[in-house]
Amino acid sequence: MAELDETSSVSFEPADKKTISKYVKIAVIMGVVTTIEFVFAIFLPRGPLLYFTFIALTFVKAFYIVAEFMHLKGEVKTLIWSILIPLIFIVWLIIALLAEGASIFSLKF
Amino acid sequence: MATTTTTTSTREQEEAKNRNIWSGGVSPLKASYGKLMMWFFLLSDAFTFSSLLVSYGLIRYAYPAYEGDIDNFTFSQDYWPVPEKVYEAVPFLHGVELPLVFVGIMTFILILSSVTMVLAVEAGHRMDRKSVVKWMLWTIVGGVTFLSCQAWEWSHFIHGTEQGGLMSDGTIFYGANLMMNQYGPPLFADLFFFITGFHGFHVFSGVILNIIIFYQAAVGVFERRGHYEMVEKVGLYWHFVDLVWVFVFTFFYLI
């Protein structure tokens, strides 16, 4: 380790407390959201309403990961949209394949 | 980049302003080539994972759902299992029913390793080598812990419960493989192996990349290079792996 310290001559800025506390806050929010999901899964009756809540909470977590951790929020608008718009194909895939699944079900049962 | 901007004269700046956007020399997305390519790779990876998860939706829709009271649930080949009844074991707590506790812990471990990764990226912006090395090490620890948890979960899933499950030919089968599954239709086990396996392989390659970056940061490669952009790029990949797990957790374990 002594050798490492010797070669480190580059000066660096001290950590910004505000940035660190922002990341800690996001971590706490994500922990709370996961706990809520877990509690809901055990105590609430299963059904479309619960599933919708789970999906909404998933997108809350996804937003924090992509916007804050991956810093997409700080990129230029063109980059943000060129990543987000292609994802519209997934929406099509969900509609198409769930309809297909329902059709297979009605043929089998 | 830094040297070119400092030597640019006002005349050159004027020329750059008038230059056609297609004649090169401009970067409209204001991001380096490597970072852009990582973003577009992750976009394509998002399509791969979503096709796996949507296939899960298709196959689940094609099977009957469990209709009865949740407390009387038993494993059967005739309907899709309720996930919280399948994943209820926790290491060292044999025979105790703790639905989704272990997978919840795994989720949180991965989120925490994402936080330590973002702290490594932040330290890289400040050229703080010691902090980069420290946070990269914690990220590796988080990734390895997650993989170990998944190994245990797979092992438990493959070996099965003491009661086993009744197969359609009247025999009792314990655990699951690609052909037979005590918890429900064989496809449920197949999708479990494929989706969590494909994600686990991403975590594994992420850990390998993290180790390489950790080593390079520790020996001062990035310090000599003058920037820590590699930490950012591998960080993007690592956050994406966390993002995918958030979706797998919802669509495979919760719903």
Side-chain angles (χ1 to χ4, degrees), chain A residues 2 26 51 61 71 87:
Chain A
I26 293 168
Y51 297 162
K61 284 198 276 187
H71 304 296
L87 295 176

Side-chain angles (χ1 to χ4, degrees), chain B residues 127-183:
Chain B
M127 299 295 286
D128 182 351
R129 181 168 79 175
K130 266 192 178 162
S131 298
V132 173
V133 169
K134 178 181 77 181
W135 292 121
M136 283 310 296
L137 192 61
W138 278 113
T139 310
I140 294 166
V141 169
V144 170
T145 314
F146 179 85
L147 282 176
S148 319
C149 291
Q150 207 170 37
W152 185 88
E153 213 198 359
W154 270 51
S155 165
H156 183 266
F157 189 83
I158 291 168
H159 290 109
T161 59
E162 271 152 26
Q163 297 82 30
L166 189 66
M167 295 289 109
S168 36
D169 62 356
T171 56
I172 299 284
F173 184 73
Y174 301 92
N177 55 38
L178 289 176
M179 309 295 288
M180 286 161 90
N181 172 17
Q182 74 154 72
Y183 310 101

Side-chain angles (χ1 to χ4, degrees), chain B residues 5 7 11 20 22-23 38 42 46 60 64 66 70 100 104 113 135 161 177 179 185-187 196 208 212 236:
Chain B
T5 44
T7 54
R11 203 178 65 86
N20 190 304
W22 298 107
S23 58
M38 182 51 93
L42 294 181
R60 189 178 174 157
Y66 175 67
I70 191 84
L100 302 176
S113 85
W135 292 121
T161 59
N177 55 38
M179 309 295 288
L187 279 173
T196 66
I208 301 289
I212 296 169
L236 282 178

Side-chain angles (χ1 to χ4, degrees), chain A residues 4-5 7-8 10 12-16 19-20 23 27 30-31 34 37-38 41-42 46 51 54-55 58-59 61-62 65-66 69-72 75-76 78-79 82-83 86-87 89-90 93-94 97-98 100-102 104-105 108-109, chain B residues 28-31 35-36 39-40 42-43 46-47 50-51 54 57-58 60-64 70 82-84 99-101 107-108 111 114-115 118-119 122 126-130 218 223 236 239-240 242-243 246-247 249-251 254-255:
Chain A
L4 276 181
D5 291 340
T7 51
S8 182
V10 177
F12 59 83
E13 298 159 41
D16 181 15
T19 323
I20 306 284
Y23 292 139
M30 301 233 275
T34 309
E37 285 179 327
F38 169 73
I42 292 169
R46 307 184 72 81
Y51 297 162
F54 282 150
I55 292 167
T58 304
F59 278 97
K61 284 198 276 187
I65 294 174
V66 176
F69 285 177
M70 297 169 93
H71 304 296
L72 190 62
E75 304 285 357
V76 295
T78 324
L79 178 52
S82 41
I83 297 300
L87 295 176
F89 287 112
I90 298 173
L93 191 70
I94 292 169
L97 289 202
L98 290 191
E100 191 69 23
I104 295 171
F105 178 79
K108 265 172 44 180
F109 300 99
Chain B
L29 297 186
K30 306 262 191 304
K35 241 166 101 175
L36 273 186
W39 269 112
F40 287 111
L42 294 181
L43 179 64
F47 285 129
S50 45
S51 50
V54 178
L58 181 151
R60 189 178 174 157
Y61 252 53
Y63 274 90
I70 191 84
V82 176
E84 65 181 68
L100 302 176
V101 167
T107 308
F108 200 61
I111 288 174
S114 221
V115 175
V118 88
L119 291 173
E122 190 269 341
R126 297 184 288 106
M127 299 295 286
D128 182 351
R129 181 168 79 175
K130 266 192 178 162
E223 205 165 85
L236 282 178
H239 296 311
F240 175 77
D242 180 28
L243 177 71
V246 164
F247 280 89
F249 179 64
T250 301
F251 292 110
L254 290 179
I255 290 184

Side-chain angles (χ1 to χ4, degrees), chain B:
Chain B
M1 280 303 273
T3 50
T4 51
T5 44
T6 48
T7 54
T8 308
S9 67
T10 42
R11 203 178 65 86
E12 278 173 319
Q13 277 174 355
E14 199 61 37
E15 265 175 30
K17 211 190 281 172
N18 297 332
R19 199 188 294 146
N20 190 304
I21 195 165
W22 298 107
S23 58
V26 274
S27 47
L29 297 186
K30 306 262 191 304
S32 73
Y33 175 78
K35 241 166 101 175
L36 273 186
M37 290 304 109
M38 182 51 93
W39 269 112
F40 287 111
F41 163 68
L42 294 181
L43 179 64
S44 70
D45 224 18
F47 285 129
T48 317
F49 273 109
S50 45
S51 50
L52 279 170
L53 280 174
V54 178
S55 307
Y56 176 84
L58 181 151
I59 292 165
R60 189 178 174 157
Y61 252 53
Y63 274 90
Y66 175 67
E67 299 287 0
D69 189 29
I70 191 84
D71 295 322
N72 303 324
F73 176 84
T74 48
F75 297 133
S76 163
Q77 297 293 302
D78 300 327
Y79 47 79
W80 204 253
V82 176
E84 65 181 68
K85 293 288 170 186
V86 179
Y87 309 103
E88 50 160 41
V90 173
F92 311 115
L93 294 171
H94 188 73
V96 189
E97 270 188 40
L98 296 164
L100 302 176
V101 167
F102 191 53
V103 73
I105 294 169
M106 281 167 69
T107 308
F108 200 61
I109 289 170
L110 210 56
I111 288 174
L112 279 184
S113 85
S114 221
V115 175
T116 57
M117 187 49 148
V118 88
L119 291 173
V121 173
E122 190 269 341
H125 284 309
R126 297 184 288 106
M127 299 295 286
D128 182 351
R129 181 168 79 175
K130 266 192 178 162
S131 298
V132 173
V133 169
K134 178 181 77 181
W135 292 121
M136 283 310 296
L137 192 61
W138 278 113
T139 310
I140 294 166
V141 169
V144 170
T145 314
F146 179 85
L147 282 176
S148 319
C149 291
Q150 207 170 37
W152 185 88
E153 213 198 359
W154 270 51
S155 165
H156 183 266
F157 189 83
I158 291 168
H159 290 109
T161 59
E162 271 152 26
Q163 297 82 30
L166 189 66
M167 295 289 109
S168 36
D169 62 356
T171 56
I172 299 284
F173 184 73
Y174 301 92
N177 55 38
L178 289 176
M179 309 295 288
M180 286 161 90
N181 172 17
Q182 74 154 72
Y183 310 101
L187 279 173
F188 175 76
D190 297 350
L191 286 159
F192 172 78
F193 290 130
F194 271 94
I195 294 175
T196 66
F198 196 59
H199 175 266
F201 184 69
H202 273 75
V203 179
F204 174 73
S205 29
V207 169
I208 301 289
L209 290 173
N210 283 345
I211 289 171
I212 296 169
I213 295 303
F214 162 74
Y215 172 77
Q216 289 193 318
V219 299
V221 173
F222 304 130
E223 205 165 85
R224 282 193 292 279
R225 199 177 282 170
H227 59 80
Y228 281 78
E229 206 192 76
M230 271 319 282
V231 181
E232 262 178 78
K233 281 182 267 191
V234 172
L236 282 178
Y237 181 75
W238 190 251
H239 296 311
F240 175 77
V241 166
D242 180 28
L243 177 71
V244 168
W245 183 255
V246 164
F247 280 89
V248 171
F249 179 64
T250 301
F251 292 110
F252 209 96
Y253 293 93
L254 290 179
I255 290 184

